[in-house]
Amino acid sequence: MPSSNLFIRKLEAFHPLSNEEKELLDRHSRPLREVPPKQDIIREGDKPACVHVIISGFACRYKLIKEGRRQIMAYMLPGDTCDFNVFILKRMDHGIATLSRCQVLELSPETVLEMTEHPAIARALWWANLVDESTMREWLVNIGQRPAEQRIGHLLCEILTRLEIVGLAKENTYTLPVTQTDLADTLGMTVVHANRMLTSLRIRDLIDIDARNLIIKDAERLKAFSGFNPNYLHLKGGS
């Protein structure tokens, strides 16, 4: 039976864990910090004192430029660590903020070191970190080379795949607590353009949106249309 702990579920996607290792992770998965939507978890310039793990909700990695415009560089979904080796830095060079209400686990450097004394946990954490890097490369390609409609489709396919890993997507449907402003800041377009591209995907009968639920009506067709290949997510890569 899959663990109810989404941090464990995510790590097990990269490497099998023993019962002892899962018990260790579970023991260190409390307490949780409740963070409201649209709030910084840690700001650019702050000194990182711990590793953050998103247990529920959506968060993002972002940068602000001088004029106040925002570029979102990554989404952190349930089970994701926000740079598990970040505490070696003197100052954050970017911010991490919630997009929705989140439950956040804070792991001290000592706890992370204790976890990495277990080879399977260390391998899973390193693998997760490498997937973060490969995902950033894919996002660069997505923003730089794909047309706007395909950019959004590709991102929606990625979120579907990542949520399926932790059991939060069912029948190609998932909760998407992301505004059109967030999408625009993620994909390098205006809010108006993001709205038009979502409408176009709906007209093509590829997606539907019901309140905050994103319904992918034909996942294989959307993946083909958007050029989505999940190889950069390296699922079960460590097993």
Side-chain angles (χ1 to χ4, degrees):
M1 177 182 293
S3 172
S4 61
N5 185 320
L6 299 190
F7 182 32
I8 294 174
R9 282 194 203 177
K10 183 62 181 286
L11 292 182
E12 284 194 299
F14 302 124
H15 196 280
L17 300 174
S18 69
N19 288 335
E20 178 189 358
E21 289 156 346
K22 287 187 274 192
E23 287 171 6
L24 172 66
L25 291 168
D26 205 43
R27 191 164 64 248
H28 288 301
S29 292
R30 291 172 294 276
L32 299 178
R33 174 184 165 199
E34 300 278 348
V35 186
K38 311 300 181 187
Q39 298 292 316
D40 282 312
I41 295 172
I42 188 168
R43 297 182 179 89
E44 182 174 358
D46 286 352
K47 180 175 175 56
C50 62
V51 173
H52 297 95
V53 182
I54 305 302
I55 300 299
S56 69
F58 278 40
C60 70
R61 183 178 292 118
Y62 74 95
K63 291 274 287 189
L64 292 176
I65 64 173
K66 185 171 61 175
E67 294 83 359
R69 295 199 303 273
R70 176 182 64 162
Q71 178 65 50
I72 292 176
M73 301 174 293
Y75 287 166
M76 271 75 80
L77 309 185
D80 287 349
T81 57
C82 307
D83 297 327
F84 86 94
N85 53 1
V86 73
F87 58 81
I88 66 175
L89 300 177
K90 291 183 178 180
R91 292 284 183 270
M92 291 291 292
D93 57 24
H94 62 278
I96 296 172
T98 58
L99 295 171
S100 67
R101 181 173 297 278
C102 287
Q103 289 184 315
V104 180
L105 173 64
E106 297 179 337
L107 300 174
S108 69
E110 294 76 19
T111 297
V112 174
L113 290 173
E114 179 187 354
M115 289 177 174
T116 55
E117 289 174 357
H118 296 256
I121 296 176
R123 184 178 177 87
L125 285 168
W126 277 113
W127 204 274
N129 196 58
L130 290 171
V131 169
D132 287 346
E133 294 177 5
S134 65
T135 301
M136 184 173 290
R137 291 191 292 271
E138 188 68 23
W139 277 38
L140 285 172
V141 173
N142 199 34
I143 293 172
Q145 297 299 324
R146 291 190 178 99
E149 195 176 7
Q150 293 178 18
R151 264 181 260 169
I152 289 185
H154 192 280
L155 178 62
L156 297 179
C157 289
E158 178 188 300
I159 294 172
L160 172 66
T161 304
R162 290 170 62 187
L163 290 178
E164 284 176 335
I165 294 170
V166 292
L168 294 181
K170 185 177 181 181
E171 297 179 350
N172 295 329
T173 300
Y174 56 86
T175 300
L176 184 66
V178 173
T179 67
Q180 291 185 14
T181 299
D182 296 330
L183 284 175
D185 288 352
T186 301
L187 296 170
M189 59 183 73
T190 66
V191 176
V192 171
H193 200 38
N195 178 271
R196 287 175 180 165
M197 295 303 98
L198 287 170
T199 299
S200 179
L201 290 174
R202 294 172 81 168
I203 291 171
R204 291 178 184 272
D205 205 31
L206 290 170
I207 68 167
D208 201 1
I209 300 172
D210 178 14
R212 283 300 179 99
N213 289 326
L214 190 285
I215 304 160
I216 297 179
K217 302 180 76 172
D218 189 332
E220 293 309 312
R221 195 157 65 90
L222 182 61
K223 290 174 183 178
F225 172 77
S226 306
F228 178 76
N229 183 336
N231 63 348
Y232 65 95
L233 297 174
H234 298 285
L235 304 179
K236 293 295 182 185
S239 59

